[in-house]
Structure formats: C-alpha cells, structure tokens
Amino acid sequence: MIRVSPRWASRAGAPSLFPPLSRRGPGGRKYATVSDLSRFPHPGDKLHGFTLRRAKHVPELELSALHLQHDKTGAEYIHVARDDKNNVFSIGFKTNPPDDTGVPHILEHVTLCGSKKYPVRDPFFKMLPRSLSNFMNAFTSSDHTTYPFATTNQQDFNNLLSVYLDATLNPLLTASDFLQEGWRIGPEDPSKAIPGEARPDVHSKGSDKLVFKGVVYNEMKGQMSDASYLYYIKFQDHIFPSINNSGGDPQKITDLTHRQLKEFHAEHYHPSNAKIFTYGDMSLEGHLKKVGRVLDKFERIPKDSEIRGPISLEDGPKTITLKGPVDPLVDSDMQFKTSTSWLMGDTSDILETFSFQVLSSLLLDGYGSPLYRGLIEAGLGPEWSPNTGFDGSNKRGIFSVGLAGVKEANVPKVREAIVKTLWDVRQKGFDKAKVDGLLHQLELGLKHKTANFGMGLMQNLKPGWFNGVDPFGALAWDETVAAFKEKYAKGGCFEELLDQYLLNDKTLTFTMEPSTTYTDELVAEEATRLATKIIEVTKLVGGEREAYSALRKQELDLLEVQEKARNQDLTCLPTLHVRDIPRQKERKEVRHSKLNNVRVQWREAPTNGLTYFRAVNTFDSLPEESRVYIPLFTDAILRLGTKNKTMEQLEDLIKLKTGGIRAGYHSSTSPTDLGRYSEGLVFSGYALDRNVGAMYELLRTIVLETDFDSTEAESMIRQLLQGAASGAVNSIAESGHGYARRFAEASLTPEGRLKEEIAGLSQVRLTARLAGRAPVEGLQDVIEELKTIQRFAISGGSTMRTAITCGTESVSRNEEQLQQFLNSLPQGTTSPATKANTAFPSNRKTFFSLPYQVYYTAHAVRTVPYTHSESASLQVLAQLLTHKHLHHEIREKGGAYGGGAYSRGLSGIFGFYSYRDPNPLNTMKIVSESGVWAREHEWTERDIEEAKLSVFKSLDAPQSVSDEGMALFLEGVTEEMMQEKRERLLDVTEGDVRDVAQKYLVEGVEKGNIAVLGETSEWVKEGDGWEAADLVMADPAVVGGEEHLTAEAASRGGS
C-alpha cells in the first residue's frame, strides 16, 4: 500500500513529540531477563555474521536497543529487547523514486507475488490465512519501502521471517505479475477476453472496450480522487521536486516497463541498502542466525545513501497555483485550498526537532491555539489544509499552515493572517501552563499501555533512520525532554525558533483552485493516452484487429496464469495449524458493583498508575430528530466552552489533568436477538490516579455546562459543520466501501439504521446541507436540538453504567471519586421517546453519484445473532470466500485494489465489498454467484483450517489493557458466550459451511441490499432495479420527521 496520508503525514516526524504508547509488563522480574544488557553481546562482539556496534538501555520505555551491522553486506540491524510478547519484524530499503511512474509502489506489490524459495503465486496473500499474525503489510513511503509484520507466536514469526526475506531479496518479478499489479491494456470486463472472433473496433464503448487495468493503477486513480491527497502530493511535488511521486501518478504509471521494474529492484532491494528491525521478547540470537544465513549469500554493493532535500526558499517568497476538482458537498464559493510553508533545520538535531514539534502543537492544536483563532475562528476557512503541521519525516523539516474551503477573495488573506499571528505570538509568547500540559501528555504517553507498541516504535524510527536521524537519539525520551526543559527554563526557546525559521519571507505559498472541467480533463487525458498506447501496439503487430487480438491474448494468458494459481500446490509455504490455537481463551476477570442505581464494572490490572474510565448513558426509543444531531453535539461540547470558561481554558485543563476526554454515540445489537438493540452516549477518558477527580469534573463541565446560548455559539457550530462537510468527499474516497456497507446494511436490522444515520451517507448529506445553509436562515433550530440532547446526555441514575480499569491499589480511591462524580450528575433524567422508529427505506440496489475515477461496492444480507450456532460457520465462510475466491476474482482478475466478504457476528450481517474497483458490474456478478460457488466447491480440510486461522488472528490479537472487559461492558458479550463461540469456530465443518452458504447466500441473497458509489454510468438504469441517489446540498427527503438519504423511489413512498 502507498503510505502517503496527507492528513497524518503532515504531523508525522522523527522523533515524534509523543513516544509510542508504552506497554509495560506487570512485574520487573521478566523485564530484567528480557532487556538486561548484561545478557547481550558487548560492542565489538560478533554473532552469526553481525557485529554489535552499540547498545543502549532506555529505562523510561523499559527496553534495550542494540545496533548491529552485517559484516559481509553492511546491512544495518536494530533490535529492541522488551518484555512484550507481540514481536515485530521489518525490513526496509531506501527507494528514492526516479520518476512519477510509481516504480517503488508497483515493486512493493510485485515483490510479494512469488520468490525463489516460495515459487507460488502471491505467497504474501496466501500466508494471510496460514498465520496468526496480528499485522502483515508493506508500505511505500516517499523515499523508502518497508515490509513489517507482528505476531505473538514463535513459529509464526519464523515462518513469516522466511517468507518476507525471500520475497524482498529473491522475488520472481514475473511479467504476468507486473501486468496484474502494475498496468496493462485489456477488455474492461475480463470475461470478454474469452476465445472468439476478435473485434476490429478497439474503440468500442461496450463492456469489451479496451481500458487501462492494474491493481496499483486503479489504487492510484482512487487516491487521485481524494482531493486532500491530490493537494498534498502536488504540494510535495513542488516543495520536494527531487523526490518524485513514489505511489505513482496514473498519467505516468503507464510509462513504466517490466525491465525498469527489475532494474530498480536490483539496484535497491539488496542487503547493502537494507535496514532491519526486530522487537519483542524473542531471542536476538535466533533472529540473527536466521537473517544472517540469508544475507551471507550476498556480496556488498554501493548503497543508495542519497538523502534528497527540498527546494531552496532563500529567494522567496514563492507562489504556485494549480487547478483541482470541485467538491460537490461544499459551497461553490468555498473551493480553494491554500497554505504557506517554511523550511526548518536538519531533523538529525533531536532537541531542535523536538522543540519545534512542541512549538507546532502550541501554534496549531486545539480551538484556543493562536493559528486556529487567527484563521478558522476568524472565518477564513473551515478546516486545515492537508499539509498543515510540522513534517519531520525527511532530512529537513517543513512547517506548513493553510486552510481548505477558502473563498477566492480570502486566499491572500490567509497568508496575511498566518504572518500576523506568528508576529503576535512572538510578542506575547505562550502561557507556561500550555507547555506543562504538553509535557504532561508526554508523561501519560509513557505510561499508557497499548498492544501495538513495537509496531508504533518501528514506524516512528524508520523515516528518520533512512534520513540520517540517529535512532538511538530518537529513543532517548527522558534525555530529550530534560534537555528541552532546561532550554525552556532559560527563556527564549520558542522566540529563537520563530526568529530563525518563521518570521521571514522565505516561504512557498501553494494554492489549489477549483476547476469545473478538472474531472472531464482527466477522463479525456486517459482516453488520449490509451489511444496512443493502442496505436503503439498497432504499429508493432500490423493493424487494429491484430492489436485487439494481441491485447486480448495478453489478457487471456494472464487469466490462464491466474486460474492455474487457484489450484497451485502450496506445500512449500510454511503454516500454523488449528492445533496451535488454544481451545480455552484466557479470561479477563471483571467484577461488578452498584453505586446508587449505577452499575459499575471493575477491571483490576497493572496500569502504571493510570485509571481508565468509560460510561454509557442509554436512551430508550430516542426520536430520529434528536439522534441525527448527536455527532454534532459531541463535537460542539468540545468546542463552545461554558459561561465561566472558554474552550481554550478547558483544553488547557484537559491536557494538564488527563490523557483526553471523549464523547460519542454508541449502539449495539443484542448478542441473542437481532431485533433488540441499545443506544446511548458513551464517555471515556483516562488520567493519573491522582487526577481522576479533576477528570470527572471536566467531563461534567463540558457535558452539562456547554453554553449553546452564547453570542458565538452559532458561528462556532457553523464552522464545525463546514469543516466536516469540507472533508466529507475525501473521507468517502478514502473508505468508500465502509460507507457503501453501512448504507446496504441500514434496512436489514434496527441497529443498521442507527449506524447509517450517525456515521453513514445520511449523516454526510445532513452535514453538507446544514453547512450550506445561508447565514440569514440561521441555525437556531439546530441549536435547540443540541440543547435538548444536553438535557438528557448524562445521568447519575439507572440509565447510566460505568467501567473502571485501574490498579488494585487505587480501587478504594476510585470508588470514592466515582461516587462523588455520580452524585454531581442529574438524577433520573430520561431522553424524549418516540413510540416506534420509522423503518429505513429498503432500496434493493442504490447508486450514489460521486466524482471518483473508481467505484466502491457493497452487498449485505441479514443473518443470525452472535450466540446462534450458525454464526461461527458464517465467519468461517467469509474467510473462505475472501481468500479462496473473491481476492482472486475481484483483485487479481478484476483489478480492484481490494475486495472480500465479511461476517459481523455482533451485527448479524454477512456482506461483500470492493474497494477502488474499476469494474463494479463484474464484481456484482461474482458476488451474486458466490453462494452457489461456495456450496458447490470441494472444500479441503486445509481450506477449513486456513479459514479458522484467519478468524483467530483477529480474535486472539493482543489487547490494550484499557480494552480488556469491553466486549461485556459495551456489547453485552459474556466470557461464557465468547468461549462457546470459540469452541463452535474451532469445530466448524465443511458441511456447516455448505449449509450456511445455501441458506444465506443462495436462498437469502435476494433479500439483501446493494450499494455502489462512483461516477454515474450508463448501466445505472431504473428498469434494471437501480435507484439513483446523490449527496449534493439539496433539500432532503423527509421520512417520519427525520432526514433520510433515500433513492427516488423511496422518497415517493417505496420501501
């Protein structure tokens, strides 16, 4: 996958301001044996072909790091020893892209398609169901490519280590894999490549027309449909022109040849160019023995050590303006994105980089931050531009500030406001309490226990490691923080940074303006490029008919290779077995008590002096007109402030006293009955034991005292709505299959309806409509709904239940503070009720027109509750279909970036999806026939075993301490239910799979719903059962007093 996420990449850096969240063990004895430096070699010692260069103990993270180098090839190796059973491996290579063809990205895909030791097709995907790993992936970053995995099982680690090393260092890189994963030209519908008379009309508009195909090609077409990604990557093109687009520009991908791909691998994927990382409690000596045996087969070569830098801004200011797509969910006069950027210092200066990350947080984070108030609160735009923040992931840091959703007249004002705000900050400085709050967050980050510490650590270290940042320096949190505190105490710390880097005109201002023809121009460019490529083939083979025949034959040859792979002998691939899965799951003991009428769940566990709090206040028959505003309510209470405190003051207190406070909507289906559900507001937070009382008081304040009647309330709410609407189209482009699934599921169960209203396309449309409401209309009706929700949002009575996770030593104090908190809340409040919820309109086939170059599809059917005996069989069936059928048909042959089946045991839903799909008609046909395929397929014992392994890799994944016991608290699933489900999963048979396939996917498929998102196509016809819907800002259909996103027939009364 391409690892360029504009919303997060801009805040990424090495080192990060906050360390990866800690995962400390319950005691010190095992810790001492795992990471005690005395049990490891000494610097200069040699072991299995490696020399230990240095070692460092980091007590604040309870780990020891060892830096080794492979003697023969020069490969660098870092091992982090820590008392953590979730072990991590990663091998990465410096891969500066030579152009925009996406060769690093396509190579990342093709590398995993087969190797010398494992000469089967796609061993990476075939290992997914043969492993209990909780993480397997590969990432293409701007200048390096990384292949990581994580697992708790020693044999699994060894298996995956062997596959990953051979895949990266000895890949087959066949031409057919390049055609499948990279790009090719072929019939749009794979079935049209079947033998028959060649069509002379290569420009056909039918399903047999020739099109560009390829997994990465379609992935990047989808990425380019995300306007935020487009802005970010074009900005990178101009600030870092020396680092080309590693993911690939679709307009350039089709210039890449198979030969160039192989040459790039030979130059870059070599141990001399590699950085290897291992983490956890497994033996370093065991790792080195296996890795060294592989690396010893290579000779040292010159490595790619070039660290590319940004442009010079010494002769600034510079200004660049490009055209981009129009956002259909945002006002037509708020379509500009603009930002101003400065170059910082060398990121290998750990202290300066850390100091600037603190400064960046002070300037940007929170509603009370100077730049938020000077830009967004001032009305210049509703949300940050995708590149906003400090980016320390390259050799030289970049600081950017900008806005999206800007009016044309305000574009120059944005830069002016940024500069003015920075000068104001230089004169006034920052309150010490704000700095203390950030340092307090760092303290909590060191204590907070998570299940993915090792993976987070690897992702934190690798970017800097590839760009000259000392990884040992990046690990030394206490040393860095102590040095920062000393520098800050002397005064002038931030003023120096402002003077040196920001208070000047050495800037790049980058603007993207809307073009109503942008999408049409992309389509026309692709058509022209396709025609040119076909002409090239025509010249080679001697005519149009011959060209079509040659391209069809290429597709047929690829299909033949893909079909042969279905029944390929996989005995060369290592695997785990179901016998490796314990039949009895370790129980996480909880106990229950009552305070007043409030039920309390207690989980006592080592938490490093932290207390984790959750509460759910349940509603009974909540009216639709209130429910749809809950997302806005939970945003608003963390934005508006109270009569006595501004949100800036509250934010400062939250940072000083807690690790964060959150509020959100919660719903769950009964594990025993799909017709029963519960819903409510969920509140959560965590704090040091000494600050729990302050956390409760802050939570009470923001929920009950938020001032919706202030003179600024309406403008702040409008900004929240505009910010949400501005990012909606990009959010859908990033996870359109999720939106399609929610809509397809909406009419199948009561809770399905709730999720669609709260987090689906219905919510997107409501938000967009309210954001586009003219100021003269006001938002008073919305504010009244928010005030209504506030009156029943939280309670100290029987509708409330809470969960506390803390150390045994703090239980008594926690009970006292929780009692005080509950006593301070309204008693006996209830939500307004409605007699019955209006059923969500059931649209069998719904199409949503959106400006994307690819499609997202979903097909969902209702099944059974969690405790039903068939639920386990359905989960196994979903894995069988995904790994044995749908991946092959939808991704390999169809060219979609992703596709598969899923079974949601707690929701009672079985479904199918495709992601960034160029051919949704083909996908829907495959899905419609999947039930018969599953019923008739000759399942082997090995097939069933692999499907069970796939289920258990998520079921038994390591869990953060704060999540222990939450299945019971949030979903009502008891330990007994989970154990019974576990045993049923382990006992599923081939016959069980066939039975549920027949019952739900053959007999029941017609009762399901289909939803498709993408550009309107000629096959979307009412006569074929399709109902068209849109998300533009128009008056909604109203059903039962609530806004629904319905298709035309539904709004006319159909269901």
Side-chain angles (χ1 to χ4, degrees):
M1 62 180 289
I2 179 66
R3 193 175 181 82
V4 182
S5 183
R7 200 167 300 277
W8 295 278
S10 62
R11 299 298 180 93
S16 171
L17 171 57
F18 304 114
L21 302 183
S22 179
R23 181 179 168 79
R24 300 188 181 192
R29 189 170 183 180
K30 186 179 180 185
Y31 157 73
T33 62
V34 171
S35 60
D36 187 348
L37 281 178
S38 65
R39 61 189 294 272
F40 292 103
H42 297 94
D45 288 351
K46 295 183 179 297
L47 189 65
H48 299 296
F50 289 85
T51 298
L52 180 63
R53 297 173 57 186
R54 53 181 176 159
K56 182 182 182 68
H57 182 57
V58 186
E60 63 269 27
L61 296 179
E62 295 191 338
L63 60 81
S64 288
L66 297 95
H67 188 186
L68 306 102
Q69 186 170 42
H70 187 243
D71 298 330
K72 189 176 181 183
T73 65
E76 289 193 78
Y77 189 124
I78 285 181
H79 176 70
V80 175
R82 199 163 186 267
D83 178 18
D84 189 344
K85 65 180 182 179
N86 196 21
N87 287 256
V88 175
F89 168 84
S90 167
I91 183 168
F93 306 92
K94 186 74 170 178
T95 50
N96 283 316
D99 48 41
D100 289 337
T101 60
V103 60
H105 186 193
I106 294 173
L107 180 58
E108 174 222 307
H109 282 239
V110 180
T111 289
L112 299 173
C113 287
S115 65
K116 292 179 181 178
K117 186 176 181 180
Y118 304 107
V120 299
R121 203 148 199 283
D122 278 344
F124 174 82
F125 284 103
K126 289 182 172 65
M127 282 301 296
L128 288 172
R130 301 168 76 89
S131 161
L132 287 173
S133 64
N134 54 79
F135 189 94
M136 277 180 67
N137 216 324
F139 300 126
T140 301
S141 300
S142 61
D143 61 0
H144 62 278
T145 306
T146 310
Y147 297 81
F149 69 77
T151 181
T152 62
N153 184 288
Q154 175 76 68
Q155 185 58 53
D156 198 25
F157 188 98
N158 294 339
N159 292 348
L160 292 173
L161 176 67
S162 178
V163 172
Y164 267 56
L165 286 175
D166 206 57
T168 54
L169 297 174
N170 300 301
L172 298 178
L173 303 182
T174 66
S176 60
D177 290 331
F178 173 73
L179 292 173
Q180 173 184 290
E181 298 296 319
W183 75 275
R184 66 188 186 277
I185 299 172
E188 183 175 40
D189 185 343
S191 65
K192 299 302 180 181
I194 58 176
E197 184 178 352
R199 293 178 56 95
D201 182 10
V202 299
H203 308 293
S204 166
K205 295 183 179 179
S207 58
D208 57 347
K209 69 178 181 180
L210 294 176
V211 296
F212 284 122
K213 308 177 79 170
V215 172
V216 171
Y217 185 79
N218 287 313
E219 177 189 353
M220 297 314 297
K221 282 181 70 175
Q223 282 280 38
M224 291 297 188
S225 295
D226 181 339
S228 288
Y229 172 84
L230 181 66
Y231 180 91
Y232 179 80
I233 204 66
K234 294 299 183 184
F235 164 75
Q236 288 291 323
D237 287 346
H238 287 84
I239 195 85
F240 267 104
S242 62
I243 300 181
N244 293 294
N245 185 345
S246 61
D249 183 336
Q251 296 182 8
K252 302 296 183 181
I253 286 175
T254 51
D255 291 335
L256 182 66
T257 67
H258 181 225
R259 178 182 57 80
Q260 290 170 332
L261 180 91
K262 295 177 72 173
E263 290 174 350
F264 190 82
H265 178 272
E267 293 170 1
H268 295 82
Y269 278 49
H270 189 280
S272 298
N273 200 40
K275 296 187 188 299
I276 300 168
F277 175 92
T278 52
Y279 163 91
D281 62 0
M282 294 180 187
S283 163
L284 169 63
E285 184 173 358
H287 295 339
L288 293 179
K289 187 175 182 180
K290 295 178 182 67
V291 174
R293 190 182 301 132
V294 174
L295 302 191
D296 283 343
K297 298 174 183 178
F298 293 83
E299 300 295 332
R300 188 184 293 247
I301 67 169
K303 65 179 181 178
D304 180 4
S305 57
E306 181 186 5
I307 299 175
R308 300 182 180 179
I311 61 173
S312 172
L313 294 177
E314 289 300 316
D315 57 347
K318 296 184 177 181
T319 301
I320 294 172
T321 300
L322 298 179
K323 295 187 182 298
V326 172
D327 188 333
L329 300 187
V330 175
D331 279 348
S332 59
D333 64 343
M334 296 176 62
Q335 296 280 342
F336 285 76
K337 298 179 180 70
T338 186
S339 65
T340 296
S341 303
W342 291 260
L343 300 181
M344 303 295 105
D346 192 320
T347 53
S348 62
D349 186 333
I350 302 292
L351 177 58
E352 183 179 87
T353 299
F354 179 88
S355 300
F356 203 92
Q357 287 172 322
V358 174
L359 175 59
S360 176
S361 294
L362 293 170
L363 288 170
L364 287 163
D365 292 352
Y367 296 117
S369 64
L371 285 167
Y372 183 92
R373 298 181 70 174
L375 298 175
I376 296 179
E377 195 171 281
L380 294 176
E383 69 165 351
W384 299 117
S385 62
N387 60 335
T388 291
F390 175 67
D391 181 358
S393 61
N394 292 291
K395 178 65 173 174
R396 193 163 178 191
I398 298 173
F399 181 68
S400 303
V401 184
L403 295 176
V406 180
K407 296 180 179 179
E408 183 174 8
N410 287 339
V411 169
K413 297 178 183 178
V414 172
R415 187 184 188 283
E416 293 170 5
I418 294 169
V419 172
K420 180 181 183 303
T421 302
L422 293 176
W423 276 106
D424 289 346
V425 168
R426 175 64 177 85
Q427 293 175 346
K428 299 175 182 177
F430 294 103
D431 190 324
K432 183 178 182 298
K434 294 184 183 296
V435 180
D436 291 341
L438 287 174
L439 296 177
H440 178 252
Q441 296 298 300
L442 177 61
E443 178 186 2
L444 293 183
L446 291 171
K447 289 178 172 291
H448 182 43
K449 297 170 67 176
T450 72
N452 61 348
F453 175 89
M455 189 59 65
L457 186 66
M458 183 279 296
Q459 293 176 344
N460 234 321
L461 295 180
K462 275 288 178 81
W465 193 11
F466 276 109
N467 282 284
V469 176
D470 180 8
F472 275 34
L475 282 172
W477 302 111
D478 276 2
E479 294 174 19
T480 302
V481 173
F484 169 77
K485 287 181 176 179
E486 181 180 354
K487 185 175 181 180
Y488 177 69
K490 294 178 180 177
C493 172
F494 299 130
E495 291 81 356
E496 289 178 11
L497 292 173
L498 286 165
D499 290 342
Q500 184 175 355
Y501 293 116
L502 300 182
L503 298 178
N504 57 62
D505 275 339
K506 300 173 184 178
T507 61
L508 171 67
T509 297
F510 185 78
T511 302
M512 184 168 282
E513 63 182 23
S515 169
T516 56
T517 62
Y518 183 83
T519 302
D520 292 338
E521 289 170 6
L522 283 182
V523 173
E525 186 281 330
E526 184 179 50
T528 300
R529 180 162 36 91
L530 176 63
T532 301
K533 292 291 183 182
I534 292 174
I535 290 171
E536 292 175 5
V537 178
T538 301
K539 290 179 180 179
L540 285 173
V541 298
E544 281 197 352
R545 177 186 291 270
E546 290 78 8
Y548 185 88
S549 295
L551 293 169
R552 189 182 62 169
K553 182 180 184 303
Q554 175 180 270
E555 193 76 9
L556 278 171
D557 291 344
L558 179 59
L559 287 171
E560 183 179 356
V561 171
Q562 292 167 334
E563 281 302 317
K564 285 182 179 178
R566 292 187 76 122
N567 301 310
Q568 201 169 19
D569 181 4
L570 303 180
T571 53
C572 68
L573 285 175
T575 185
L576 294 183
H577 300 277
V578 169
R579 64 175 178 267
D580 297 314
I581 303 171
R583 192 168 182 86
Q584 182 72 39
K585 175 70 172 175
E586 178 186 359
R587 296 172 69 99
K588 302 296 184 183
E589 298 296 338
V590 299
R591 62 180 179 85
H592 295 85
S593 67
K594 266 197 171 184
L595 294 176
N596 299 342
N597 288 321
V598 176
R599 293 163 290 165
V600 184
Q601 174 181 296
W602 296 89
R603 168 67 181 151
E604 297 176 32
T607 60
N608 293 327
L610 295 175
T611 291
Y612 299 91
F613 165 81
R614 274 194 181 91
V616 175
N617 189 35
T618 56
F619 309 142
D620 184 23
S621 301
L622 183 68
E624 294 91 335
E625 57 267 25
S626 294
R627 180 184 302 114
V628 295
Y629 287 105
I630 285 180
L632 181 57
F633 173 79
T634 57
D635 285 343
I637 60 175
L638 289 168
R639 171 65 187 99
L640 270 60
T642 69
K643 291 182 179 179
N644 300 319
K645 284 186 173 65
T646 65
M647 197 63 230
E648 179 180 5
Q649 293 171 319
L650 290 169
E651 284 178 334
D652 289 345
L653 288 170
I654 289 171
K655 290 177 181 176
L656 278 167
K657 299 296 183 181
T658 81
I661 293 174
R662 296 171 182 82
Y665 177 81
H666 172 72
S667 67
S668 64
T669 296
S670 164
T672 61
D673 182 358
L674 296 184
R676 293 170 46 213
Y677 66 91
S678 67
E679 66 174 327
L681 272 167
V682 60
F683 306 96
S684 63
Y686 72 95
L688 294 168
D689 290 340
R690 67 175 184 264
N691 290 331
V692 170
M695 175 181 70
Y696 287 148
E697 176 57 23
L698 284 165
L699 178 60
R700 186 200 67 79
T701 298
I702 65 172
V703 176
L704 296 179
E705 296 184 14
T706 291
D707 186 6
F708 289 100
D709 293 321
S710 71
T711 55
E712 300 87 5
E714 182 170 323
S715 65
M716 291 180 178
I717 291 171
R718 187 179 298 278
Q719 288 167 359
L720 289 174
L721 290 166
Q722 289 175 340
S726 179
V729 164
N730 302 326
S731 176
I732 298 171
E734 183 65 27
S735 54
H737 60 308
Y739 284 93
R741 291 196 315 203
R742 276 190 289 274
F743 191 84
E745 296 169 7
S747 66
L748 299 179
T749 66
E751 197 209 352
R753 166 195 173 87
L754 307 183
K755 289 184 175 179
E756 166 60 22
E757 291 175 348
I758 290 294
L761 296 170
S762 300
Q763 181 68 208
V764 169
R765 189 183 189 200
L766 171 65
T767 301
R769 185 177 63 86
L770 294 176
R773 185 183 287 185
V776 68
E777 295 181 56
L779 293 170
Q780 195 55 43
D781 57 329
V782 175
I783 291 173
E784 290 303 317
E785 288 290 351
L786 300 180
K787 290 166 66 176
T788 298
I789 295 171
Q790 186 179 36
R791 288 193 283 271
F792 62 78
I794 197 166
S795 167
S798 59
T799 59
M800 185 89 150
R801 66 180 189 271
T802 66
I804 302 292
T805 300
C806 64
T808 303
E809 71 282 356
S810 64
V811 168
S812 177
R813 178 62 178 152
N814 263 302
E815 191 168 27
E816 294 175 11
Q817 292 174 323
L818 180 59
Q819 179 73 71
Q820 295 171 9
F821 171 59
L822 295 173
N823 289 342
S824 72
L825 299 178
Q827 305 295 310
T829 60
T830 57
S831 62
T834 185
K835 290 184 179 180
N837 283 328
T838 306
F840 196 89
S842 178
N843 299 332
R844 175 75 182 88
K845 296 162 69 174
T846 308
F847 185 92
F848 296 90
S849 179
L850 286 164
Y852 303 146
Q853 300 179 61
V854 287
Y855 295 84
Y856 306 84
T857 74
H859 188 157
V861 297
R862 175 170 166 147
T863 56
V864 294
Y866 178 86
T867 56
H868 194 282
S869 59
E870 292 175 334
S871 178
S873 303
L874 287 162
Q875 282 187 262
V876 172
L877 173 61
Q879 295 301 321
L880 286 168
L881 281 171
T882 296
H883 294 291
K884 301 300 180 181
H885 183 52
L886 298 174
H887 173 82
H888 174 73
E889 294 290 338
I890 297 174
R891 179 183 168 110
E892 291 184 353
K893 292 167 66 175
Y897 182 49
Y902 63 96
S903 179
R904 290 184 177 163
L906 282 168
S907 301
I909 298 292
F910 191 99
F912 304 85
Y913 69 93
S914 69
Y915 178 71
R916 292 180 178 166
D917 187 349
N919 196 349
L921 279 177
N922 178 61
T923 296
M924 287 183 282
K925 180 176 182 294
I926 292 164
V927 165
S928 68
E929 298 169 351
S930 290
V932 173
W933 187 91
R935 183 192 65 193
E936 302 298 327
H937 188 71
E938 293 295 328
W939 298 112
T940 66
E941 186 176 326
R942 181 64 218 173
D943 291 337
I944 303 297
E945 183 168 49
E946 288 183 3
K948 292 177 182 178
L949 287 169
S950 294
V951 172
F952 276 93
K953 70 164 52 188
S954 58
L955 204 62
D956 288 355
Q959 201 173 35
S960 299
V961 66
S962 57
D963 292 329
E964 294 173 354
M966 287 301 107
L968 175 61
F969 179 72
L970 294 174
E971 313 291 347
V973 179
T974 66
E975 290 281 354
E976 291 73 23
M977 289 177 184
M978 286 189 283
Q979 182 58 36
E980 183 179 38
K981 182 68 166 289
R982 185 181 190 86
E983 293 172 9
R984 284 174 172 168
L985 284 165
L986 290 169
D987 295 339
V988 167
T989 66
E990 176 190 357
D992 296 333
V993 170
R994 294 187 189 282
D995 289 344
V996 293
Q998 172 65 25
K999 185 173 181 180
Y1000 298 102
L1001 303 188
V1002 178
E1003 299 170 10
V1005 71
E1006 291 303 317
K1007 299 176 183 177
N1009 298 326
I1010 298 171
V1012 180
L1013 283 60
E1015 193 172 40
T1016 302
S1017 296
E1018 57 188 19
W1019 49 264
V1020 181
K1021 300 174 182 176
E1022 187 173 343
D1024 291 336
W1026 285 102
E1027 299 173 10
D1030 62 60
L1031 295 177
V1032 297
M1033 293 182 295
D1035 288 335
V1038 177
V1039 182
E1042 181 209 354
E1043 173 171 293
H1044 284 276
L1045 184 60
T1046 68
E1048 294 171 357
S1051 67
R1052 294 193 299 266
S1055 63

